Amino acid sequence: MGEIFSPGKLMLTSEYFAIDGALVLAVPTKLGQEFFFDEKPDGQSLIFWKAYHQNQLWLHAVIDYKNWEIVEANLIPAAEFILKVLKNVQELSQTKFKDTTSYYLKTNLQFPADYGLGSSSTLMNNLAEWSGTDPFQLNAISLGGSGYDIAVAKEKSAVLYQSQPDIQYTKVDFNPVFKNELIFIHLNQKQDSREGIALYKSREKSQALINEYTDLTRKIVDCQNLVEFSGLMMIHEQKISAFLNMPTVKEKFFQNCPVFVKSLGAWGGDFVMSAKFEGFRDYFWGKGFTTIFEWEDLIG
């Protein structure tokens, strides 16, 4: 049985503006999604799909890919999504799902599904690598989005990414000297990014504004000390807050926090980034946020 692995991701800059081509800094996480595969020439044209969350079976499905029908499944909506994605794989691939071979496919998501670290992007990249297809194309027709998360999964590296006018990205060694002073706090909920994206798209924006986030990203990548980094992160938060007319995560949950707190990705859920200060664990735990990672625990 073969195996492929793709890391999860955290989006450190540009959030919604990534859609319109602002430069994004994104980093890989140590945890990601495993993909195991086997093929048997049994003449049945079946897909036996098993999806595990942290080694616990979540979804099992049998799909007839000659007729693209679900033969059996324990979670029909999830199985329908997998069928749609695998049908897209068939259309893009030169070799997969073309004859009567049966496929035994298994995934294992290493992080909780509500962490927002890329359960979908890691799946797209694993399937694309396995089938010899373009992960950006597979993601575009299956899910949409800017594609920065696909770049991280594909390169297994931090990237500087732009979606417009065409997808372009470079691997970057983002390894700040102050990384051990940074922390990541989970907000105990999974954020649906579609609502935030709809709000963002409803606002008028200029190329000059998009360029401001590109400039901020470049300054953040080049930053050499925590004080400057913290200031840039606070500027980033305030600018998006003003644009969306939404309170920052610090205003919402951590008004008396003595350091910066920055949203990562869609506002309102998933992870935020902050910096250590005396008693930081007690502070966040006291507010009900007990999942706290240091850089070396979370970032690949």
Side-chain angles (χ1 to χ4, degrees):
M1 178 170 278
E3 179 179 353
I4 295 170
F5 171 80
S6 291
K9 49 68 189 176
L10 282 172
M11 184 186 211
L12 301 191
T13 68
S14 291
E15 280 102 279
Y16 304 106
F17 287 87
I19 297 168
D20 290 303
L23 187 67
V24 173
L25 171 62
V27 296
T29 57
K30 289 185 175 180
L31 298 178
Q33 187 158 197
E34 300 165 291
F35 179 70
F36 305 91
F37 52 91
D38 198 8
E39 302 178 11
K40 294 184 179 179
D42 59 7
Q44 296 190 73
S45 305
L46 294 175
I47 302 166
F48 297 88
W49 184 273
K50 290 187 177 181
Y52 290 76
H53 285 177
Q54 296 179 283
N55 298 311
Q56 298 295 314
L57 183 62
W58 172 67
L59 168 68
H60 67 82
V62 179
I63 296 170
D64 169 6
Y65 70 81
K66 277 295 184 188
N67 301 298
W68 288 111
E69 294 177 348
I70 297 170
V71 178
E72 61 179 80
N74 65 324
L75 297 172
I76 295 298
E80 288 173 340
F81 171 73
I82 294 301
L83 183 150
K84 170 192 168 183
V85 173
L86 295 180
K87 191 173 182 181
N88 289 337
V89 169
Q90 182 194 55
E91 292 174 0
L92 296 176
S93 175
Q94 298 295 314
T95 58
K96 304 303 182 186
F97 312 130
K98 301 297 185 183
D99 49 33
T100 59
T101 296
S102 286
Y103 296 86
Y104 293 77
L105 307 177
K106 172 186 168 183
T107 69
N108 181 44
L109 192 65
Q110 296 177 333
F111 51 81
D114 67 351
Y115 271 19
L117 295 180
S119 55
S120 297
S121 58
T122 52
L123 175 64
M124 294 298 118
N125 190 67
N126 284 341
L127 285 171
E129 186 173 331
W130 168 69
S131 61
T133 57
D134 181 346
F136 295 101
Q137 190 175 5
L138 178 61
N139 183 68
I141 63 176
S142 300
L143 291 168
S146 70
Y148 81 92
D149 45 2
I150 298 296
V152 174
K154 183 175 186 292
E155 298 299 334
K156 299 172 176 56
S157 165
V159 297
L160 285 171
Y161 178 91
Q162 284 182 294
S163 63
Q164 301 289 340
D166 298 304
I167 289 175
Q168 54 183 326
Y169 62 89
T170 56
K171 295 169 66 172
V172 60
D173 181 21
F174 185 67
N175 193 34
V177 294
F178 49 84
K179 66 183 181 182
N180 292 333
E181 295 302 312
L182 300 175
I183 54 174
F184 302 90
I185 305 102
H186 190 247
L187 295 184
N188 305 330
Q189 56 185 326
K190 177 74 177 75
Q191 179 68 11
D192 185 346
S193 59
R194 287 174 294 184
E195 183 178 335
I197 289 171
L199 174 62
Y200 167 81
K201 286 185 173 179
S202 72
R203 310 276 185 183
E204 290 188 17
K205 59 198 73 73
S206 65
Q207 186 60 48
L209 182 60
I210 294 165
N211 292 344
E212 288 180 25
Y213 290 95
T214 293
D215 293 339
L216 271 173
T217 295
R218 294 196 188 281
K219 289 176 181 177
I220 287 165
V221 170
D222 294 335
C223 196
Q224 296 299 311
N225 65 78
L226 182 59
V227 173
E228 181 185 359
F229 184 84
S230 299
L232 291 168
M233 288 298 175
M234 287 189 287
I235 291 170
H236 195 295
E237 281 286 278
Q238 290 298 332
K239 286 175 68 65
I240 289 188
S241 173
F243 179 78
L244 295 178
N245 194 26
M246 288 175 60
T248 66
V249 70
K250 185 171 182 177
E251 291 168 337
K252 196 171 181 181
F253 295 120
F254 311 112
Q255 289 186 13
N256 60 342
C257 183
V259 298
F260 82 92
V261 183
K262 184 188 180 299
S263 294
L264 303 177
W267 280 31
D270 303 334
F271 278 92
V272 298
M273 177 170 55
S274 187
K276 294 178 182 176
F277 55 91
E278 186 174 353
F280 71 88
R281 290 192 185 276
D282 290 338
Y283 174 83
F284 289 112
W285 287 3
K287 292 185 174 294
F289 303 102
T290 58
T291 303
I292 302 171
F293 291 96
E294 298 193 27
W295 181 279
E296 63 181 12
D297 299 325
L298 187 60
I299 306 302

